Amino acid sequence: MTIVALSKTVFIDRSNRALARSTFDTAVVTMRTKRQSVFIFPEGTRSYADEPMLLPFKKGAFHLAVDAQVPIVPVVCANYANVFNTKLKRFAPGIVDVSVLPPIPTKGLTKEDIDDLVERTRKVMLDELIRLSHVTGQGNGVPLPAASSVDDKTRELRKRT
């Protein structure tokens, strides 16, 4: 397990399943005893897509949350191709909208609930990503309506993803 001292960052070696599992087990203990938060990218990596989409979620983060019996707090970052475009190797000034969604409880959940938890979390995050992308025009700082609003254009975008 590699830990970066100041940020308490834990890097997971995904190529070594046994080591990754051991690192997660240590994280569960740390989360419980020190009330340490963990920030995980459930896609494993970003898709760098121009349109609002998410890659399939990996289940490790959800196993971790259920094992520790801690809530999942989804954080959604709008597509940022307007600011950082990896395909064109271009950086530009701009605003990237980020939403912190309501916590999703895991208290009382077991390993049998993981698939449903992954699906529910991915759905609320994708809905928010679509909303952020549609409303802000890829992050132009326009004030956002409440996260529960769903309009016809958003429904259409959802059908395409």
Side-chain angles (χ1 to χ4, degrees):
M1 174 170 69
T2 304
I3 299 177
V4 177
L6 294 177
S7 68
K8 298 182 183 174
T9 301
V10 176
F11 293 98
I12 307 296
D13 181 357
R14 292 186 292 173
S15 66
N16 183 334
R17 186 173 173 82
L19 183 58
R21 182 65 200 168
S22 171
T23 302
F24 267 63
D25 291 344
T26 302
V28 167
V29 172
T30 303
M31 291 167 69
R32 286 182 179 158
T33 59
K34 297 185 179 177
R35 299 185 44 87
Q36 176 70 42
S37 295
V38 176
F39 193 93
I40 297 177
F41 296 90
E43 295 173 280
T45 186
R46 282 306 304 253
S47 66
Y48 298 112
D50 293 329
E51 69 280 347
M53 55 109 32
L54 295 172
L55 295 172
F57 281 8
K58 302 196 179 308
K59 295 182 183 179
F62 300 91
H63 281 281
L64 180 64
V66 168
D67 288 351
Q69 292 288 285
V70 296
I72 294 169
V73 180
V75 177
V76 180
C77 178
N79 286 29
Y80 46 81
N82 62 315
V83 175
F84 174 56
N85 189 313
T86 57
K87 294 173 191 161
L88 299 176
K89 296 183 180 1
R90 184 189 74 209
F91 286 94
I95 295 171
V96 178
D97 291 306
V98 176
S99 289
V100 179
L101 301 178
I104 299 171
T106 65
K107 205 80 155 157
L109 297 184
T110 66
K111 291 186 186 327
E112 287 75 36
D113 300 306
I114 298 288
D115 288 340
D116 179 58
L117 182 62
V118 170
E119 186 178 316
R120 285 187 298 130
T121 304
R122 190 176 187 285
K123 182 187 180 326
V124 298
M125 290 180 74
L126 182 57
D127 287 349
E128 183 63 6
L129 178 60
I130 291 168
R131 187 186 75 82
L132 283 173
S133 300
H134 168 67
V135 174
T136 67
Q138 298 297 323
N140 65 9
V142 174
L144 300 173
S148 62
S149 68
V150 177
D151 60 16
D152 291 334
K153 180 131 182 159
T154 302
R155 281 188 194 91
E156 183 60 33
L157 281 170
R158 226 185 261 154
K159 287 179 193 173
R160 289 189 249 158
T161 58

